[in-house]
């Protein structure tokens, strides 16, 4: 009954869940596509929601995952550049990847010439964001900062982007005590290894990565190779069969521990994103965020399932949910203010970073 009448948009799902209700956007991107972006995701997901799921009088449930991708569906925050020849992602490299090959100083200098406002906001060493802003200007002829201002000035827009696309949305945030979450994430990695993770990694390495490594052209910064769970085992995979069993076992354990660490680090970043971008987001165009405590899995029915169903049913029926949404006080921190530390000759961006450095 939980799944009745729902359509799920996610990239993480079990076969049992797929049998219970219709799922979308699973295993649809070729692993060798290196330039699949959040814009590609949005352009595929939005028509599914608007022209398919809503047209069938169903309710779309977007499951994270990556909160940045969820944000792209909720708000008008992304920028389209030039049109692609087809709806499928391209196998060739795009302009942003080409720009990232340039020196950081040269990239930032180019951006300063065409969009000084955006250059002032971005750290000179943040190649990805600087390259993206340059790409936007090159492919639209309009400074990135100007396009962002246009979005913010639209009706319903705000300091962090354009208007909310689906006004009757709500966000369910499953959160746990940090110690409980860390233990659960470590166990998850152990369970993945027990379920055959290593064989899957070996197969993927043979099919997609071995030749790249041999030719010294491996890139762990783009495409699927940057994802958590593969690059952490690089040393183990490239040395397997070429070293002693003892060394191989040590490299394997090193990869497992690295996977646990980056998984926990990523979970912290996800929670920080929810707090800063959803709970602290200024303006009225923010869906209510309801917190669901998942520290004790023995209380799943009482703490998660029952209140979640009550909240969703209230939204469907147009009445106030029994639970109160989470609220956080907005701070006055300027995350873009730039200062130069005279002692270390480094550029410091953001009030919090500057305050922290002042204390050291």
């Amino acid at each position: 009954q939980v799944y009745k009448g729902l359509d799920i948009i996610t990239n993480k799902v079990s076969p049992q869940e797929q049998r219970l209700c219709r799922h979308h956007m699973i295993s649809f991107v070729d692993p060798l596509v290196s330039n699949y972006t959040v814009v590609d995701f949005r352009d595929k997901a939005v028509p599914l929601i608007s022209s398919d799921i809503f047209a069938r009088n169903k309710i779309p449930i977007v499951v994270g995952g990556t909160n940045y991708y969820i944000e792209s569906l909720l708000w008008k925050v992304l920028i389209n550049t030039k049109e692609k020849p087809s709806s499928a992602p391209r196998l060739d490299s795009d302009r942003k990847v080409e720009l990232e090959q340039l020196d950081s100083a040269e990239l930032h200098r180019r951006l300063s010439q065409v969009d000084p406002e955006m250059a002032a906001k971005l750290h000179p060493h943040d190649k990805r964001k600087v390259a993206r802003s340059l790409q936007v200007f090159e492919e639209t002829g309009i400074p990135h900062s100007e396009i962002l201002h246009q979005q913010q000035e639209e009706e319903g827009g705000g300091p962090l982007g354009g208007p909310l696309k689906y006004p009757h949305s709500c966000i369910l945030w499953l959160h746990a005590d940090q110690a409980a979450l860390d233990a659960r994430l470590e166990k998850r990695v152990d369970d993945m290894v027990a379920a055959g993770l290593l064989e899957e990694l070996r197969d993927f390495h043979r099919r997609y990565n071995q030749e790249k490594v041999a030719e010294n052209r491996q890139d762990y910064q783009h495409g699927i190779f940057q994802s958590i769970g593969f690059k952490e085992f690089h040393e183990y995979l490239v040395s397997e069969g070429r070293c002693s069993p003892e060394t191989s076992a040590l490299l394997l354990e090193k990869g497992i521990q690295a996977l646990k660490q980056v998984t926990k680090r990523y979970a912290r970043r996800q929670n920080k994103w929810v707090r800063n971008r959803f709970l602290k987001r200024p303006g009225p165009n923010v869906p209510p965020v309801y917190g669901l405590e998942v520290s004790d899995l023995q209380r799943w029915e009482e703490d998660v399932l029952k209140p979640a169903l009550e909240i969703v049913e209230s939204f469907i029926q147009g009445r106030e949910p029994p639970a109160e949404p989470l609220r956080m006080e907005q701070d006055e921190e300027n995350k873009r203010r730039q200062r130069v530390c005279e002692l270390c000759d480094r550029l410091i961006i953001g009030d919090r970073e500057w305050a922290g450095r002042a204390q050291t």
Side-chain angles (χ1 to χ4, degrees):
Q1 290 298 314
V2 173
Y3 289 95
K4 185 177 181 181
L6 304 179
D7 274 49
I8 313 294
I9 299 174
T10 182
N11 64 348
K12 300 175 182 178
V13 62
S14 69
Q16 180 183 9
E17 289 171 324
Q18 289 190 57
R19 289 192 294 268
L20 290 172
C21 71
R22 186 173 177 179
H23 287 71
H24 302 270
M25 301 182 69
I26 301 171
S27 301
F28 69 98
V29 179
D30 188 292
L32 294 184
V33 171
S34 62
N35 62 335
Y36 188 84
T37 68
V38 65
V39 175
D40 296 308
F41 169 81
R42 179 207 61 186
D43 289 348
K44 186 173 179 63
V46 168
L48 274 173
I49 294 173
S50 302
S51 303
D52 179 7
I53 300 175
F54 282 156
R56 291 185 284 110
N57 293 319
K58 302 292 185 178
I59 300 170
I61 306 293
V62 182
V63 181
T66 308
N67 295 317
Y68 181 43
Y69 280 60
I70 295 177
E71 191 169 316
S72 76
L73 301 183
L74 288 174
W75 289 277
K76 184 179 178 181
V77 292
L78 299 179
I79 296 171
N80 291 322
T81 54
K82 61 185 178 184
E83 293 296 322
K84 295 182 179 179
S86 70
S87 59
R90 299 188 307 274
L91 286 171
D92 60 327
S93 62
D94 62 13
R95 179 57 177 158
K96 178 172 175 290
V97 175
E98 294 173 359
L99 288 168
E100 287 178 18
Q101 306 308 310
L102 297 175
D103 176 76
S104 296
E106 172 62 15
L107 264 180
H108 198 262
R109 184 189 68 79
R110 292 189 185 187
L111 183 61
S112 298
Q113 292 178 336
V114 299
D115 192 350
E117 180 180 344
M118 186 57 69
K121 293 180 179 179
L122 299 179
H123 196 289
H125 293 161
D126 194 340
K127 271 193 170 185
R128 289 196 174 193
K129 290 183 180 179
V130 174
R132 174 55 180 163
S133 289
L134 265 177
Q135 179 196 21
V136 168
F137 176 78
E138 288 183 1
E139 297 182 358
T140 66
I142 305 172
H144 192 178
S145 58
E146 183 178 331
I147 296 176
L148 294 178
H149 285 314
Q150 291 172 359
Q151 287 184 346
Q152 294 165 3
E153 290 168 2
E154 291 184 31
E155 184 178 356
L160 294 180
L164 190 64
K165 294 178 185 175
Y166 308 105
H168 304 294
S169 306
C170 70
I171 297 172
L172 303 178
W173 179 30
L174 278 63
H175 58 90
D177 174 78
Q178 193 63 58
L181 179 60
D182 286 346
R184 197 172 301 161
L185 292 173
E186 292 206 3
K187 181 179 183 303
R188 175 187 173 189
V189 172
D190 292 333
D191 291 344
M192 288 166 61
V193 173
L197 173 65
L198 297 183
E199 187 52 45
E200 182 178 339
L201 289 172
R202 290 189 192 103
D203 178 64
F204 192 87
H205 179 67
R206 286 192 297 265
R207 293 170 60 190
Y208 300 113
N209 201 45
Q210 200 165 40
E211 184 178 342
K212 289 178 177 288
V213 172
E215 296 176 356
N216 197 29
R217 57 185 180 90
Q218 172 52 271
D219 178 10
Y220 285 111
Q221 302 300 317
H222 297 94
I224 196 171
F225 298 105
Q226 68 179 315
S227 60
I228 292 175
F230 185 71
K231 58 184 180 293
E232 288 75 22
F233 291 90
H234 173 81
E235 289 185 84
Y236 170 75
L237 293 170
V238 299
S239 64
E240 192 175 24
R242 301 179 182 178
C243 60
S244 67
E246 293 79 11
T247 300
S248 185
L250 287 173
L251 291 175
L252 173 58
E253 181 60 25
K254 180 181 177 182
I256 292 173
Q257 293 305 317
L259 179 56
K260 290 180 178 180
Q261 286 302 114
V262 297
T263 300
K264 290 187 288 187
R265 194 178 304 132
Y266 182 61
R268 284 173 167 79
R269 288 204 305 270
Q270 287 180 311
N271 286 333
K272 183 178 179 180
W273 185 286
V274 172
R275 294 187 184 96
N276 290 339
R277 301 288 290 185
F278 294 162
L279 295 180
K280 291 184 179 180
R281 196 180 186 111
N285 62 334
V286 184
V289 179
Y290 297 92
L292 300 171
E293 173 65 49
V294 295
S295 296
D296 185 358
L297 294 182
Q298 300 299 317
R299 292 185 51 84
W300 176 267
E301 296 277 340
E302 305 96 308
D303 294 345
V304 183
L305 181 58
K306 182 179 178 182
L309 289 175
E310 290 176 345
I311 292 168
V312 173
E313 287 174 356
S314 298
F315 269 82
I316 294 173
Q317 297 169 7
R319 54 183 174 83
E320 285 294 318
E324 285 290 323
L326 298 174
R327 302 192 195 304
M328 290 185 69
E329 291 185 5
Q330 297 177 17
D331 54 37
E332 297 301 321
E333 177 195 3
N334 186 332
K335 298 181 180 181
R336 297 297 189 185
R337 181 178 289 124
Q338 298 187 4
R339 302 178 178 90
V340 176
C341 176
E342 295 180 358
L343 295 177
C344 61
D345 193 28
R346 287 183 58 187
L347 178 66
I348 311 298
I349 297 182
D351 290 346
R352 186 173 300 176
E353 290 296 323
W354 178 258
R357 183 158 294 275
Q359 295 172 3
T360 59

